[in-house]
Amino acid sequence: MKRAVVVVVAVLLLGLGIVLARAVMQTSGARAFPAEVASGAKPPAPDFALPLLTGDGEVTLASLRGQVVVVNFWASWCDPCKDEAPILQDLWLTEAQPQGVAFVGIDTQDLSDDARAFAVTYGLTYPLVHDVGGAVGRDWGVGAFPETFIIDPQGRAVAWFPGEVTADGLRDAVAKARASS
Amino acid sequence: MIRRLLLVLAVMLVLVPLASAAQPQFSMAEIESQLMCPTCQSRLDLSHSPAADRIRAFVEKKRLEGWTEQQVKDALVADFGPSVLAAPPASGIGLVAWVAPIALVGGGLVVAVAIVFAWRRRRHAGRAQTPADIALEARVDAALRSFDDVL
């Protein structure tokens, strides 16, 4: 009888421990990725496969291996994202696209209808995807919007911009990522 | 006359469902307490973040269009995932949130009952009868017997 009680208590405590550990890992481990990037450790960027915001098809990070990739997390309700959108669009058209630098805008924690309207308002023409459920944003440790990561051709995250990017800052980071390849 | 009545009836049959379809199926207060703000991790009715305001506007628009509560929830889950619901779904991993408290309470009761039983058994086993107990027991038995005789 005593042994059965001990087993029941142990199983319950184990279950509770697993649930708590999951919750702690989801909250505390999430911001580890940007911190690693900021430290210069060049961690491998978590892969993603996300549906395009408009039309069919999806974008995977793995399919862009060999290119410098600018990954920008945004949401339509975010005010700095509105200021940043014309900067990104201009850099994409005038510099990134001609130089073979890939851009991916990941819309997360957002209504997809609002996101599509945002893309039309700001005339965004680089690939935009929708992070259904926000799982990719969590994997990448995105805590505020916007956030931008630069991925080198080997798939390593080499720069992180919390908040709105500047054209010069992004240009420099892309140039460094291209030079490191 | 009958033909006219039938015509009116037919028009009513077409219009009544259309009218009821556009009627709000639920109240904002009701659904807001069942949704979470995805960026602030608090209930939608307690949040005034920009994301919460956008969700609120979406829900109100769909409510006025006659969407059901479930349709609105499904649309939000498609964009934000199941974490947008304040109560987790009673399926998949969400089932754990429903079952775990019941299992914990049930397990706690089993443990409590087992401890009480073990404690009582130990108390009975550990306590030897003293001569005073035996004498008291004999006196009680005698008293009960005399009481039976009187009756």
Side-chain angles (χ1 to χ4, degrees):
Chain A
M1 181 67 180
K2 200 181 278 181
R3 192 174 293 173
V5 170
V6 170
V7 169
V8 168
V9 171
V11 167
L12 288 173
L13 286 177
L14 189 67
L16 195 63
I18 289 169
V19 170
L20 286 174
R22 257 181 74 95
V24 169
M25 280 168 72
Q26 274 179 351
T27 51
S28 66
R31 294 298 286 174
F33 179 68
E36 261 191 279
V37 180
S39 75
K42 298 185 180 178
D47 196 14
F48 57 76
L50 293 172
L52 286 165
L53 193 58
T54 312
D56 295 330
E58 63 173 26
V59 173
T60 66
L61 185 61
S63 69
L64 301 171
R65 185 62 63 87
Q67 290 174 270
V68 171
V69 187
V70 175
V71 178
N72 171 247
F73 286 89
W74 63 281
S76 64
W77 44 261
C78 140
D79 284 333
C81 301
K82 294 170 188 167
D83 299 333
E84 185 187 63
I87 298 170
L88 289 172
Q89 176 60 23
D90 185 50
L91 279 174
W92 161 248
L93 273 185
T94 59
E95 296 174 42
Q97 204 177 17
Q99 293 171 5
V101 173
F103 265 43
V104 182
I106 301 182
D107 171 54
T108 186
Q109 308 287 15
D110 201 4
L111 291 157
S112 45
D113 284 350
D114 285 0
R116 278 187 279 272
F118 182 98
V120 170
T121 302
Y122 293 95
L124 304 181
T125 55
Y126 52 88
L128 298 172
V129 292
H130 184 56
D131 181 14
V132 183
V136 173
R138 280 195 295 278
D139 283 352
W140 286 61
V142 174
F145 297 95
E147 283 193 26
T148 304
F149 295 84
I150 311 297
I151 314 303
D152 74 6
Q154 287 80 43
R156 300 171 304 180
V158 292
W160 169 54
F161 295 89
E164 188 184 329
V165 294
T166 61
D168 286 342
L170 196 60
R171 200 176 283 126
D172 285 352
V174 167
K176 280 180 191 160
R178 293 184 78 201
S180 75
S181 61
Chain B
M1 181 65 181
I2 290 174
R3 193 177 289 174
R4 199 171 290 170
L5 270 174
L6 284 173
L7 190 68
V8 169
L9 200 66
V11 169
M12 281 175 69
L13 280 172
V14 172
L15 289 181
V16 166
L18 284 177
S20 66
Q23 289 292 312
Q25 309 280 311
F26 54 88
S27 74
M28 281 301 284
E30 202 179 316
I31 196 166
E32 276 189 49
S33 66
Q34 297 171 41
L35 296 171
M36 295 292 287
C37 161
T39 55
C40 35
Q41 306 305 320
S42 64
R43 262 178 24 199
L44 193 65
D45 55 347
L46 305 174
S47 173
H48 295 283
S49 71
D53 288 344
R54 287 306 308 149
I55 293 175
R56 210 173 280 117
F58 170 83
V59 172
E60 177 65 351
K61 182 170 175 273
K62 298 302 178 191
R63 190 180 80 92
L64 295 175
E65 285 175 12
W67 281 33
T68 65
E69 195 177 290
Q70 195 55 49
Q71 282 175 310
V72 171
K73 284 181 181 174
D74 290 346
L76 290 173
V77 168
D79 275 338
F80 296 97
S83 60
V84 77
L85 303 176
S91 61
I93 189 74
L95 193 61
V96 174
W98 291 99
V99 172
I102 298 166
L104 282 172
V105 170
L109 276 174
V110 168
V111 170
V113 168
I115 287 170
V116 168
F117 269 106
W119 176 67
R120 283 186 61 184
R121 202 167 34 199
R122 200 166 41 236
R123 200 170 148 215
H124 282 292
R127 191 177 153 202
Q129 275 195 316
T130 62
D133 290 336
I134 295 165
L136 181 66
E137 212 169 286
R139 280 173 63 192
V140 169
D141 285 344
L144 286 173
R145 264 197 306 275
S146 64
F147 187 67
D148 285 343
D149 293 344
V150 170
L151 288 175

mmCIF file of all heavy atoms in Angstrom, chain A residues 1 5 8-9 12 16 19 22 77 109-112 114 130-134, chain B residues 38-39 50-51 54-55 58 76 78-81 93 96 103-104 107 111 114:
data_model
loop_
_atom_site.group_PDB
_atom_site.id
_atom_site.type_symbol
_atom_site.label_atom_id
_atom_site.label_comp_id
_atom_site.label_asym_id
_atom_site.label_seq_id
_atom_site.Cartn_x
_atom_site.Cartn_y
_atom_site.Cartn_z
ATOM 1 N N MET A 1 0.846 -1.214 0.000
ATOM 2 C CA MET A 1 0.000 0.000 0.000
ATOM 3 C C MET A 1 0.879 1.261 0.000
ATOM 4 O O MET A 1 0.686 2.183 -0.778
ATOM 5 C CB MET A 1 -0.908 -0.030 1.237
ATOM 6 C CG MET A 1 -1.864 1.155 1.350
ATOM 7 S SD MET A 1 -3.115 1.166 0.038
ATOM 8 C CE MET A 1 -4.012 2.630 0.464
ATOM 9 N N VAL A 5 1.366 4.286 -2.862
ATOM 10 C CA VAL A 5 1.215 5.727 -2.582
ATOM 11 C C VAL A 5 2.440 6.475 -3.089
ATOM 12 O O VAL A 5 2.329 7.523 -3.745
ATOM 13 C CB VAL A 5 1.023 5.958 -1.066
ATOM 14 C CG1 VAL A 5 1.120 7.447 -0.742
ATOM 15 C CG2 VAL A 5 -0.312 5.404 -0.609
ATOM 16 N N VAL A 8 2.293 6.727 -6.858
ATOM 17 C CA VAL A 8 1.296 7.715 -7.314
ATOM 18 C C VAL A 8 1.852 9.123 -7.141
ATOM 19 O O VAL A 8 1.790 9.958 -8.053
ATOM 20 C CB VAL A 8 -0.031 7.546 -6.522
ATOM 21 C CG1 VAL A 8 -0.947 8.737 -6.780
ATOM 22 C CG2 VAL A 8 -0.727 6.263 -6.944
ATOM 23 N N VAL A 9 2.433 9.389 -5.963
ATOM 24 C CA VAL A 9 2.982 10.731 -5.702
ATOM 25 C C VAL A 9 4.117 11.034 -6.673
ATOM 26 O O VAL A 9 4.191 12.127 -7.242
ATOM 27 C CB VAL A 9 3.480 10.834 -4.229
ATOM 28 C CG1 VAL A 9 4.253 12.134 -4.022
ATOM 29 C CG2 VAL A 9 2.304 10.760 -3.277
ATOM 30 N N LEU A 12 2.733 11.822 -10.147
ATOM 31 C CA LEU A 12 2.099 13.148 -10.168
ATOM 32 C C LEU A 12 3.146 14.259 -10.160
ATOM 33 O O LEU A 12 3.045 15.229 -10.901
ATOM 34 C CB LEU A 12 1.161 13.303 -8.976
ATOM 35 C CG LEU A 12 -0.132 12.497 -9.061
ATOM 36 C CD1 LEU A 12 -0.900 12.579 -7.762
ATOM 37 C CD2 LEU A 12 -1.009 13.022 -10.194
ATOM 38 N N LEU A 16 3.863 17.014 -13.096
ATOM 39 C CA LEU A 16 3.842 18.449 -12.781
ATOM 40 C C LEU A 16 5.172 19.090 -13.169
ATOM 41 O O LEU A 16 5.208 20.188 -13.729
ATOM 42 C CB LEU A 16 3.582 18.622 -11.278
ATOM 43 C CG LEU A 16 3.168 20.010 -10.820
ATOM 44 C CD1 LEU A 16 1.838 20.409 -11.429
ATOM 45 C CD2 LEU A 16 3.059 20.058 -9.299
ATOM 46 N N VAL A 19 5.388 19.591 -16.971
ATOM 47 C CA VAL A 19 4.565 20.727 -17.410
ATOM 48 C C VAL A 19 5.265 22.041 -17.075
ATOM 49 O O VAL A 19 5.358 22.959 -17.894
ATOM 50 C CB VAL A 19 3.161 20.663 -16.751
ATOM 51 C CG1 VAL A 19 2.390 21.946 -16.991
ATOM 52 C CG2 VAL A 19 2.386 19.482 -17.307
ATOM 53 N N ARG A 22 8.397 22.628 -19.254
ATOM 54 C CA ARG A 22 8.000 23.064 -20.605
ATOM 55 C C ARG A 22 7.707 24.562 -20.612
ATOM 56 O O ARG A 22 8.126 25.291 -21.490
ATOM 57 C CB ARG A 22 6.742 22.316 -21.047
ATOM 58 C CG ARG A 22 6.986 21.196 -22.049
ATOM 59 C CD ARG A 22 5.665 20.567 -22.420
ATOM 60 N NE ARG A 22 4.890 21.435 -23.301
ATOM 61 C CZ ARG A 22 4.898 21.334 -24.619
ATOM 62 N NH1 ARG A 22 5.634 20.434 -25.206
ATOM 63 N NH2 ARG A 22 4.163 22.140 -25.362
ATOM 64 N N TRP A 77 0.082 46.036 -36.776
ATOM 65 C CA TRP A 77 -0.337 46.966 -35.733
ATOM 66 C C TRP A 77 0.853 47.689 -35.090
ATOM 67 O O TRP A 77 0.689 48.540 -34.233
ATOM 68 C CB TRP A 77 -1.134 46.226 -34.645
ATOM 69 C CG TRP A 77 -0.521 44.919 -34.238
ATOM 70 C CD1 TRP A 77 -0.881 43.685 -34.658
ATOM 71 C CD2 TRP A 77 0.594 44.727 -33.356
ATOM 72 N NE1 TRP A 77 -0.073 42.725 -34.089
ATOM 73 C CE2 TRP A 77 0.836 43.343 -33.289
ATOM 74 C CE3 TRP A 77 1.407 45.591 -32.607
ATOM 75 C CZ2 TRP A 77 1.859 42.794 -32.518
ATOM 76 C CZ3 TRP A 77 2.427 45.039 -31.838
ATOM 77 C CH2 TRP A 77 2.637 43.660 -31.800
ATOM 78 N N GLN A 109 2.025 37.246 -35.012
ATOM 79 C CA GLN A 109 1.100 37.791 -34.003
ATOM 80 C C GLN A 109 0.170 38.821 -34.638
ATOM 81 O O GLN A 109 -0.026 39.912 -34.096
ATOM 82 C CB GLN A 109 1.871 38.433 -32.837
ATOM 83 C CG GLN A 109 2.911 37.558 -32.211
ATOM 84 C CD GLN A 109 2.308 36.439 -31.372
ATOM 85 O OE1 GLN A 109 1.122 36.154 -31.468
ATOM 86 N NE2 GLN A 109 3.112 35.795 -30.580
ATOM 87 N N ASP A 110 -0.399 38.471 -35.768
ATOM 88 C CA ASP A 110 -1.140 39.458 -36.551
ATOM 89 C C ASP A 110 -2.304 38.791 -37.278
ATOM 90 O O ASP A 110 -2.263 37.584 -37.558
ATOM 91 C CB ASP A 110 -0.159 40.053 -37.582
ATOM 92 C CG ASP A 110 -0.599 41.398 -38.104
ATOM 93 O OD1 ASP A 110 -1.616 41.933 -37.627
ATOM 94 O OD2 ASP A 110 0.090 41.921 -38.997
ATOM 95 N N LEU A 111 -3.281 39.598 -37.615
ATOM 96 C CA LEU A 111 -4.387 39.114 -38.452
ATOM 97 C C LEU A 111 -3.924 39.141 -39.901
ATOM 98 O O LEU A 111 -3.403 40.173 -40.364
ATOM 99 C CB LEU A 111 -5.610 40.010 -38.284
ATOM 100 C CG LEU A 111 -6.293 39.940 -36.913
ATOM 101 C CD1 LEU A 111 -7.084 41.206 -36.641
ATOM 102 C CD2 LEU A 111 -7.207 38.723 -36.853
ATOM 103 N N SER A 112 -4.086 38.049 -40.619
ATOM 104 C CA SER A 112 -3.533 37.997 -41.980
ATOM 105 C C SER A 112 -4.196 39.017 -42.910
ATOM 106 O O SER A 112 -3.534 39.554 -43.803
ATOM 107 C CB SER A 112 -3.628 36.581 -42.550
ATOM 108 O OG SER A 112 -4.873 36.023 -42.300
ATOM 109 N N ASP A 114 -5.201 42.038 -42.042
ATOM 110 C CA ASP A 114 -4.537 43.311 -41.727
ATOM 111 C C ASP A 114 -3.144 43.349 -42.364
ATOM 112 O O ASP A 114 -2.710 44.387 -42.867
ATOM 113 C CB ASP A 114 -4.375 43.472 -40.205
ATOM 114 C CG ASP A 114 -5.698 43.816 -39.525
ATOM 115 O OD1 ASP A 114 -6.718 43.930 -40.232
ATOM 116 O OD2 ASP A 114 -5.705 43.974 -38.284
ATOM 117 N N HIS A 130 3.382 34.438 -43.503
ATOM 118 C CA HIS A 130 2.589 34.592 -42.272
ATOM 119 C C HIS A 130 2.971 33.493 -41.290
ATOM 120 O O HIS A 130 2.895 32.300 -41.618
ATOM 121 C CB HIS A 130 1.104 34.513 -42.624
ATOM 122 C CG HIS A 130 0.207 34.760 -41.452
ATOM 123 N ND1 HIS A 130 0.269 35.906 -40.693
ATOM 124 C CD2 HIS A 130 -0.777 34.001 -40.906
ATOM 125 C CE1 HIS A 130 -0.632 35.838 -39.728
ATOM 126 N NE2 HIS A 130 -1.275 34.693 -39.830
ATOM 127 N N ASP A 131 3.381 33.902 -40.111
ATOM 128 C CA ASP A 131 3.793 32.962 -39.062
ATOM 129 C C ASP A 131 2.544 32.516 -38.301
ATOM 130 O O ASP A 131 2.177 33.105 -37.288
ATOM 131 C CB ASP A 131 4.796 33.669 -38.138
ATOM 132 C CG ASP A 131 5.302 32.771 -37.020
ATOM 133 O OD1 ASP A 131 5.100 31.552 -37.093
ATOM 134 O OD2 ASP A 131 5.914 33.319 -36.078
ATOM 135 N N VAL A 132 1.923 31.466 -38.813
ATOM 136 C CA VAL A 132 0.669 30.972 -38.223
ATOM 137 C C VAL A 132 0.946 30.462 -36.805
ATOM 138 O O VAL A 132 1.783 29.592 -36.610
ATOM 139 C CB VAL A 132 0.069 29.836 -39.076
ATOM 140 C CG1 VAL A 132 -1.268 29.385 -38.511
ATOM 141 C CG2 VAL A 132 -0.081 30.277 -40.515
ATOM 142 N N GLY A 133 0.264 31.042 -35.847
ATOM 143 C CA GLY A 133 0.436 30.602 -34.456
ATOM 144 C C GLY A 133 1.652 31.195 -33.760
ATOM 145 O O GLY A 133 1.835 30.994 -32.573
ATOM 146 N N GLY A 134 2.497 31.914 -34.494
ATOM 147 C CA GLY A 134 3.639 32.594 -33.870
ATOM 148 C C GLY A 134 4.784 31.679 -33.460
ATOM 149 O O GLY A 134 5.680 32.098 -32.729
ATOM 150 N N PRO B 38 -2.376 38.181 -27.828
ATOM 151 C CA PRO B 38 -1.186 37.363 -28.118
ATOM 152 C C PRO B 38 0.132 38.017 -27.736
ATOM 153 O O PRO B 38 1.120 37.331 -27.542
ATOM 154 C CB PRO B 38 -1.270 37.150 -29.630
ATOM 155 C CG PRO B 38 -2.112 38.251 -30.135
ATOM 156 C CD PRO B 38 -3.061 38.634 -29.046
ATOM 157 N N THR B 39 0.152 39.332 -27.628
ATOM 158 C CA THR B 39 1.432 39.996 -27.333
ATOM 159 C C THR B 39 1.612 40.314 -25.857
ATOM 160 O O THR B 39 2.727 40.547 -25.411
ATOM 161 C CB THR B 39 1.562 41.310 -28.124
ATOM 162 O OG1 THR B 39 0.420 42.115 -27.841
ATOM 163 C CG2 THR B 39 1.651 41.044 -29.606
ATOM 164 N N PRO B 50 -1.964 47.492 -28.939
ATOM 165 C CA PRO B 50 -2.395 47.652 -30.341
ATOM 166 C C PRO B 50 -2.899 46.342 -30.953
ATOM 167 O O PRO B 50 -3.883 46.354 -31.694
ATOM 168 C CB PRO B 50 -1.118 48.133 -31.042
ATOM 169 C CG PRO B 50 -0.275 48.737 -29.970
ATOM 170 C CD PRO B 50 -0.589 47.985 -28.716
ATOM 171 N N ALA B 51 -2.234 45.228 -30.624
ATOM 172 C CA ALA B 51 -2.669 43.937 -31.189
ATOM 173 C C ALA B 51 -4.063 43.578 -30.669
ATOM 174 O O ALA B 51 -4.914 43.094 -31.423
ATOM 175 C CB ALA B 51 -1.669 42.844 -30.826
ATOM 176 N N ARG B 54 -6.708 45.553 -32.442
ATOM 177 C CA ARG B 54 -6.984 45.051 -33.795
ATOM 178 C C ARG B 54 -7.873 43.800 -33.736
ATOM 179 O O ARG B 54 -8.788 43.640 -34.533
ATOM 180 C CB ARG B 54 -5.669 44.725 -34.533
ATOM 181 C CG ARG B 54 -4.872 45.914 -34.988
ATOM 182 C CD ARG B 54 -5.674 46.881 -35.832
ATOM 183 N NE ARG B 54 -6.347 46.218 -36.959
ATOM 184 C CZ ARG B 54 -7.505 46.607 -37.486
ATOM 185 N NH1 ARG B 54 -8.151 47.650 -36.995
ATOM 186 N NH2 ARG B 54 -8.030 45.954 -38.494
ATOM 187 N N ILE B 55 -7.574 42.930 -32.777
ATOM 188 C CA ILE B 55 -8.385 41.712 -32.644
ATOM 189 C C ILE B 55 -9.812 42.087 -32.272
ATOM 190 O O ILE B 55 -10.777 41.552 -32.818
ATOM 191 C CB ILE B 55 -7.777 40.758 -31.590
ATOM 192 C CG1 ILE B 55 -6.443 40.216 -32.097
ATOM 193 C CG2 ILE B 55 -8.727 39.603 -31.284
ATOM 194 C CD1 ILE B 55 -5.702 39.354 -31.104
ATOM 195 N N PHE B 58 -11.621 43.304 -35.278
ATOM 196 C CA PHE B 58 -11.943 42.168 -36.161
ATOM 197 C C PHE B 58 -13.163 41.412 -35.636
ATOM 198 O O PHE B 58 -14.095 41.102 -36.384
ATOM 199 C CB PHE B 58 -10.714 41.238 -36.239
ATOM 200 C CG PHE B 58 -10.987 39.924 -36.913
ATOM 201 C CD1 PHE B 58 -10.961 39.814 -38.299
ATOM 202 C CD2 PHE B 58 -11.257 38.779 -36.165
ATOM 203 C CE1 PHE B 58 -11.205 38.595 -38.913
ATOM 204 C CE2 PHE B 58 -11.505 37.560 -36.776
ATOM 205 C CZ PHE B 58 -11.486 37.463 -38.160
ATOM 206 N N LEU B 76 -9.466 33.238 -35.665
ATOM 207 C CA LEU B 76 -8.359 33.756 -34.847
ATOM 208 C C LEU B 76 -7.300 32.684 -34.595
ATOM 209 O O LEU B 76 -6.099 32.969 -34.617
ATOM 210 C CB LEU B 76 -8.889 34.305 -33.518
ATOM 211 C CG LEU B 76 -9.711 35.600 -33.636
ATOM 212 C CD1 LEU B 76 -10.325 35.968 -32.301
ATOM 213 C CD2 LEU B 76 -8.836 36.749 -34.146
ATOM 214 N N ALA B 78 -6.602 30.313 -36.605
ATOM 215 C CA ALA B 78 -5.867 30.146 -37.867
ATOM 216 C C ALA B 78 -4.730 31.155 -37.988
ATOM 217 O O ALA B 78 -3.686 30.857 -38.565
ATOM 218 C CB ALA B 78 -6.824 30.285 -39.048
ATOM 219 N N ASP B 79 -4.915 32.350 -37.449
ATOM 220 C CA ASP B 79 -3.867 33.382 -37.535
ATOM 221 C C ASP B 79 -2.895 33.345 -36.354
ATOM 222 O O ASP B 79 -1.704 33.568 -36.514
ATOM 223 C CB ASP B 79 -4.504 34.773 -37.606
ATOM 224 C CG ASP B 79 -4.868 35.145 -39.038
ATOM 225 O OD1 ASP B 79 -4.277 34.569 -39.967
ATOM 226 O OD2 ASP B 79 -5.742 36.012 -39.217
ATOM 227 N N PHE B 80 -3.424 33.115 -35.162
ATOM 228 C CA PHE B 80 -2.590 33.251 -33.953
ATOM 229 C C PHE B 80 -2.248 31.916 -33.289
ATOM 230 O O PHE B 80 -1.448 31.883 -32.371
ATOM 231 C CB PHE B 80 -3.291 34.138 -32.917
ATOM 232 C CG PHE B 80 -3.494 35.551 -33.375
ATOM 233 C CD1 PHE B 80 -4.691 35.966 -33.912
ATOM 234 C CD2 PHE B 80 -2.457 36.472 -33.278
ATOM 235 C CE1 PHE B 80 -4.878 37.270 -34.342
ATOM 236 C CE2 PHE B 80 -2.631 37.784 -33.701
ATOM 237 C CZ PHE B 80 -3.853 38.183 -34.241
ATOM 238 N N GLY B 81 -2.900 30.844 -33.713
ATOM 239 C CA GLY B 81 -2.692 29.562 -33.045
ATOM 240 C C GLY B 81 -3.618 29.421 -31.848
ATOM 241 O O GLY B 81 -4.292 30.386 -31.452
ATOM 242 N N ILE B 93 -2.604 18.470 -26.871
ATOM 243 C CA ILE B 93 -1.823 18.867 -25.691
ATOM 244 C C ILE B 93 -2.683 19.708 -24.736
ATOM 245 O O ILE B 93 -2.466 19.731 -23.527
ATOM 246 C CB ILE B 93 -0.540 19.634 -26.111
ATOM 247 C CG1 ILE B 93 0.410 19.867 -24.925
ATOM 248 C CG2 ILE B 93 -0.862 20.961 -26.785
ATOM 249 C CD1 ILE B 93 1.143 18.643 -24.472
ATOM 250 N N VAL B 96 -4.223 18.200 -21.561
ATOM 251 C CA VAL B 96 -3.426 18.094 -20.326
ATOM 252 C C VAL B 96 -3.895 19.145 -19.309
ATOM 253 O O VAL B 96 -4.013 18.867 -18.115
ATOM 254 C CB VAL B 96 -1.915 18.293 -20.634
ATOM 255 C CG1 VAL B 96 -1.101 18.339 -19.354
ATOM 256 C CG2 VAL B 96 -1.420 17.167 -21.523
ATOM 257 N N ALA B 103 -6.539 15.133 -12.180
ATOM 258 C CA ALA B 103 -5.641 14.039 -11.774
ATOM 259 C C ALA B 103 -4.920 14.404 -10.483
ATOM 260 O O ALA B 103 -4.768 13.556 -9.589
ATOM 261 C CB ALA B 103 -4.638 13.761 -12.887
ATOM 262 N N LEU B 104 -4.499 15.665 -10.377
ATOM 263 C CA LEU B 104 -3.780 16.091 -9.169
ATOM 264 C C LEU B 104 -4.684 16.046 -7.945
ATOM 265 O O LEU B 104 -4.287 15.561 -6.879
ATOM 266 C CB LEU B 104 -3.211 17.499 -9.351
ATOM 267 C CG LEU B 104 -1.936 17.581 -10.191
ATOM 268 C CD1 LEU B 104 -1.565 19.019 -10.475
ATOM 269 C CD2 LEU B 104 -0.777 16.883 -9.470
ATOM 270 N N GLY B 107 -5.446 12.371 -7.243
ATOM 271 C CA GLY B 107 -4.243 11.764 -6.672
ATOM 272 C C GLY B 107 -4.028 12.219 -5.237
ATOM 273 O O GLY B 107 -3.684 11.414 -4.364
ATOM 274 N N VAL B 111 -3.885 9.877 -1.904
ATOM 275 C CA VAL B 111 -2.749 9.938 -0.976
ATOM 276 C C VAL B 111 -3.233 10.253 0.435
ATOM 277 O O VAL B 111 -2.811 9.626 1.416
ATOM 278 C CB VAL B 111 -1.723 10.993 -1.470
ATOM 279 C CG1 VAL B 111 -0.662 11.252 -0.406
ATOM 280 C CG2 VAL B 111 -1.051 10.517 -2.751
ATOM 281 N N ALA B 114 -4.961 7.263 1.947
ATOM 282 C CA ALA B 114 -3.958 6.237 2.261
ATOM 283 C C ALA B 114 -3.188 6.604 3.524
ATOM 284 O O ALA B 114 -2.908 5.738 4.366
ATOM 285 C CB ALA B 114 -3.004 6.068 1.079
#
